[in-house]
Amino acid sequence: MPDHMTDRAELRGDCERCFGLCCVALPFAASADFAIDKPAGTPCPNLRGDHRCGIHAELRTKGFNGCTVYDCFGAGQKVSQITFGGRDRRTGPPEDARRMVEVFPVVRQLHELLWYLTEALTLPAARPIHADLGRALEWTEALTRQTPQELGALDVGAHRQEVNVLLLKTSELARAGIRGKKKNRRGADLMGARLKGADLRGANLRGAYLIAADLTGADLRGADLIGADLRDADLTDADLTDAFFLTQPQLNAARGSAGTRLPGSVTRPVHWTAQL
């Protein structure tokens, strides 16, 4: 398997190689996460001419918390440097600029799937389906390298559904080896739930709403966290060792501490340290 398909460095946003696509393509509405409204395809007023954010060091104090928790999984540099061959959206033909806005969210979804598939291939318990996972990884990677026209026509939702079948099997295999009764909270409404010190080892938390939940000291070892909404969830001193399908954006949206134990695939958010 090619190295670039197993190297997670390419599945993390690299703003130095991007044309500020997330600041242009994505919409946002005035809320607790964003200070202003901005429609899709319109550059953020804070975007500078060099494609950098003019208030990057002050995003939280300026009311742009949503920007600080976002990550494109490397889609920005893929679209900028590969899909469009390094052509700046402002200097190329208008059609390119329109296509970039259209294609970026598609590639972002594909790169998120690459993140999950890459992780699934590191799980020994999923070895029985590693060959299928490898083929899905190759297929998804190939889709990211299509032309702008092909990407614009791609039914990315259908592809996600097909890959999700394998991710579900991965979850079942990985959690089967964890002792004890494993809770099934898939898609559960746990907003603001009091789960301090809860035993959630091997739990199925796929798509669970854990917004502002108190998970202080909770045991989340080996839990499936794919799609779980962790916005403002308190992970202080929680144990997420070997929790899988956890992404950096999920973690960035939560609160935690120096005592929060994390899997090696993610890093401790800088703002957690600032809260200490």
Side-chain angles (χ1 to χ4, degrees):
M1 188 176 298
D3 289 343
H4 72 270
M5 293 172 64
T6 56
D7 182 3
R8 285 200 173 188
E10 286 302 313
L11 298 178
R12 302 179 193 274
D14 182 354
C15 297
E16 295 297 322
R17 293 189 287 151
C18 178
F19 298 141
L21 295 184
C22 63
C23 305
V24 178
L26 305 181
F28 48 75
S31 62
D33 292 323
F34 296 101
I36 59 173
D37 293 318
K38 186 191 84 65
T42 300
C44 173
N46 297 310
L47 185 64
R48 303 186 317 206
D50 62 357
H51 309 300
R52 299 294 174 264
C53 175
I55 60 167
H56 188 267
E58 305 171 283
L59 283 169
R60 287 184 173 270
T61 59
K62 296 284 189 180
F64 288 85
N65 284 7
C67 298
T68 68
V69 304
Y70 180 79
D71 189 277
C72 70
F73 294 99
Q77 62 258 32
K78 172 71 72 65
V79 172
S80 297
Q81 303 302 327
I82 295 178
T83 311
F84 287 90
R87 298 191 302 276
D88 188 324
R89 60 178 175 80
R90 298 171 309 177
T91 58
E95 177 65 13
D96 274 7
R98 186 186 68 79
R99 285 284 187 185
M100 279 189 184
V101 170
E102 180 182 72
V103 162
F104 172 69
V106 174
V107 178
R108 199 265 186 189
Q109 289 190 64
L110 293 173
H111 269 231
E112 183 179 2
L113 290 176
L114 288 175
W115 177 275
Y116 296 139
L117 288 166
T118 300
E119 180 168 7
L121 283 164
T122 70
L123 300 175
R127 189 170 299 281
I129 60 170
H130 273 190
D132 291 334
L133 288 166
R135 283 190 288 271
L137 182 67
E138 292 179 2
W139 178 25
T140 305
E141 168 68 11
L143 289 177
T144 71
R145 294 175 178 272
Q146 293 187 117
T147 66
Q149 292 76 16
E150 289 170 330
L151 284 165
L154 177 67
D155 186 346
V156 71
H159 182 67
R160 287 184 74 98
Q161 289 180 1
E162 292 187 47
V163 172
N164 191 50
V165 173
L166 287 174
L167 298 179
L168 282 167
K169 289 181 181 178
T170 298
S171 177
E172 291 167 1
L173 290 167
R175 292 183 297 107
I178 298 173
R179 293 182 179 180
K181 186 176 181 179
K182 295 175 279 293
K183 296 179 174 63
N184 184 1
R185 296 291 187 269
R186 183 177 182 181
D189 183 351
L190 297 170
M191 290 190 288
R194 298 178 181 178
L195 297 168
K196 184 175 182 178
D199 183 358
L200 294 168
R201 286 174 295 174
N204 182 354
L205 292 167
R206 296 172 66 90
Y209 296 93
L210 288 157
I211 302 169
D214 182 4
L215 289 161
T216 304
D219 192 343
L220 290 152
R221 287 177 292 173
D224 181 350
L225 292 168
I226 194 169
D229 194 334
L230 296 173
R231 283 178 293 169
D232 206 34
D234 192 349
L235 297 173
T236 299
D237 296 334
D239 190 350
L240 288 87
T241 307
D242 297 327
F244 55 96
F245 297 151
L246 175 67
T247 66
Q248 196 64 47
Q250 284 174 295
L251 206 59
N252 290 347
R255 293 179 289 132
S257 67
T260 305
R261 281 163 282 185
L262 302 173
S265 59
V266 293
T267 59
R268 196 174 309 277
V270 173
H271 66 273
W272 285 12
T273 304
Q275 292 172 0
L276 297 178

